[in-house]
């Protein structure tokens, strides 16, 4: 069976992604950091569906911990076919209020986290000449978001990582792609008021915000053989908010 390691799988987009891969028959290693109960209930849900899943605690900003997480997933499944770098945090504030600690923490999780996991997983993928990496960026990494400078910059860096790594890994038959979601209904947006959400829906040609499942299906597509000739892509999934 193909196997996948998904960071930030305890909640939101990562959780929906774990369920989508499990439904498609993949073995799932679901990473979490703080939300242990949610991660364990996800594993139970997948097992109840007849699937295979394990939960692995790891703070993706910790390089050595990511190496250990990848080893745990490989020990459980034998190999990792797809690495999904989804874990992320927002940083909503005026740029002039952003402290060096805010800036570093945002990059440590959103950008270094993907570096750490790619670094840990690629040795085996190169040896097997097989693998797919999907990074979860953001529409704001493409356009820039006001009052989200650190977040936007960290997500733009993921796009650069995706493109460069796709060029370097292509000859090893490893594809590296990126999803850039628009506004999606998860905890990350719970600070938005109903009026803010309505305004964002009104700006979106499809007249609504997106669901975690819609991002999950795109990630599954980019990790699967359905997208076997796609690499270095930044796929916007935003209901037309950016055209
Ligand atoms: P969410 O509901 O807040 O979930 C965030 C996930 O990231 C949680 O599972 C959390 O795990 C994990 N995480 C945070 N820090 C971590 C760390 N240091 N190590 C490991 N895991 C960590 O957010 P979401 O909306 O699903 O976001 C998922 C990804 O999509 C993020 O990269 C986000 O930037 C991106 N995105 C979201 C939207 C949106 O509108 N929601 C739009 C564009 C892009 P624990 O709870 O276990 O700590």
């Amino acid at each position: 069976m193909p196997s996948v390691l998904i960071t930030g799988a305890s909640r939101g987009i990562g959780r929906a992604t774990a369920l989508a891969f499990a439904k498609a028959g993949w073995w799932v290693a679901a990473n979490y950091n703080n939300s242990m109960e949610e991660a364990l209930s996800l594993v139970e849900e997948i097992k109840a569906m007849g699937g295979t899943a394990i939960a692995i605690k790891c703070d993706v900003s910790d390089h050595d911990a990511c190496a250990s997480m990848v080893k745990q997933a490989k020990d459980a499944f034998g190999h990792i076919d797809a690495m999904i770098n989804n874990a992320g945090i927002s940083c909503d504030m005026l740029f002039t209020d952003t402290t060096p600690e805010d800036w570093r923490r945002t990059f440590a999780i959103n950008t270094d986290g993907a570096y750490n996991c790619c670094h840990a997983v690629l040795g085996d993928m190169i040896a097997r000449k097989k693998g797919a990496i999907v990074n979860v960026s953001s529409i704001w990494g493409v356009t820039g978001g006001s009052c989200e400078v650190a977040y936007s910059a960290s997500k733009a860096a993921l796009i650069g990582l995706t493109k460069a790594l796709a060029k370097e890994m292509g000859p090893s038959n490893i594809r590296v792609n990126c999803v850039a979601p628009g506004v999606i209904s998860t905890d990350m947006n719970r600070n938005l008021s109903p009026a803010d959400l309505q305004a964002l829906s009104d700006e979106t040609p499809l007249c609504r915000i997106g669901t975690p499942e819609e991002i999950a299906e795109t990630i599954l597509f980019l990790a699967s053989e359905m997208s076997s000739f796609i690499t270095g892509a930044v796929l916007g999934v935003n209901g037309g908010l950016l055209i």
Side-chain angles (χ1 to χ4, degrees):
M1 283 295 169
S3 57
V4 61
L5 171 56
I6 303 165
T7 65
S10 48
R11 297 184 289 113
I13 291 169
R15 185 184 187 89
T17 303
L19 289 167
F21 275 80
K23 280 181 194 146
W26 291 58
W27 290 344
V28 175
N31 158 251
Y32 67 97
N33 188 29
N34 293 315
S35 304
M36 183 173 75
E37 274 182 29
E38 287 86 343
L40 295 180
S41 82
L42 168 71
V43 166
E44 287 315 309
E45 192 174 338
I46 290 174
K47 286 183 176 168
M49 287 161 32
T52 301
I54 56 170
I56 307 177
K57 177 173 168 59
C58 168
D59 176 346
V60 295
S61 68
D62 181 333
H63 186 80
D64 292 346
C66 287
S68 159
M69 170 172 67
V70 166
K71 184 175 180 319
Q72 284 179 65
K74 276 194 319 201
D75 286 350
F77 299 151
H79 57 264
I80 299 172
D81 293 294
M83 175 76 236
I84 314 301
N85 291 307
N86 163 77
I89 57 167
S90 56
C91 184
D92 301 337
M93 61 178 71
L94 288 171
F95 177 69
T96 44
D97 290 340
T98 310
T99 64
E101 290 72 30
D102 295 324
W103 185 270
R104 259 305 342 130
R105 182 171 145 73
T106 306
F107 270 77
I109 295 172
N110 293 0
T111 315
D112 299 4
Y115 161 77
N116 291 337
C117 292
C118 288
H119 209 240
V121 87
L122 274 169
D124 259 29
M125 285 184 176
I126 292 167
R128 296 177 69 225
K129 280 202 168 282
K130 187 176 189 298
I133 292 173
V134 183
N135 297 317
V136 181
S137 179
S138 164
I139 189 173
W140 309 128
V142 180
T143 66
S146 171
C147 298
E148 301 200 60
V149 175
Y151 180 78
S152 301
S154 72
K155 292 295 184 177
L158 266 186
I159 292 173
L161 182 156
T162 299
K163 291 181 176 179
L165 197 57
K167 288 183 178 175
E168 192 168 321
M169 291 300 141
S172 296
N173 192 36
I174 297 161
R175 298 181 302 107
V176 187
N177 289 293
C178 188
V179 180
V183 185
I184 309 301
S185 175
T186 70
D187 291 346
M188 192 171 271
N189 289 319
R190 73 183 152 199
N191 59 331
L192 294 177
S193 68
D196 289 337
L197 287 171
Q198 190 57 52
L200 284 161
S201 298
D202 292 345
E203 270 182 62
T204 304
L206 288 180
C207 306
R208 62 177 177 85
I209 65 170
T211 67
E213 290 73 21
E214 289 170 319
I215 305 303
E217 291 298 333
T218 309
I219 293 171
L220 177 59
F221 166 71
L222 288 174
S224 76
E225 286 303 305
M226 298 266 286
S227 62
S228 53
F229 203 49
I230 300 178
T231 197
V234 181
L235 195 43
V237 187
N238 56 45
L241 185 56
L242 173 64
I243 293 179

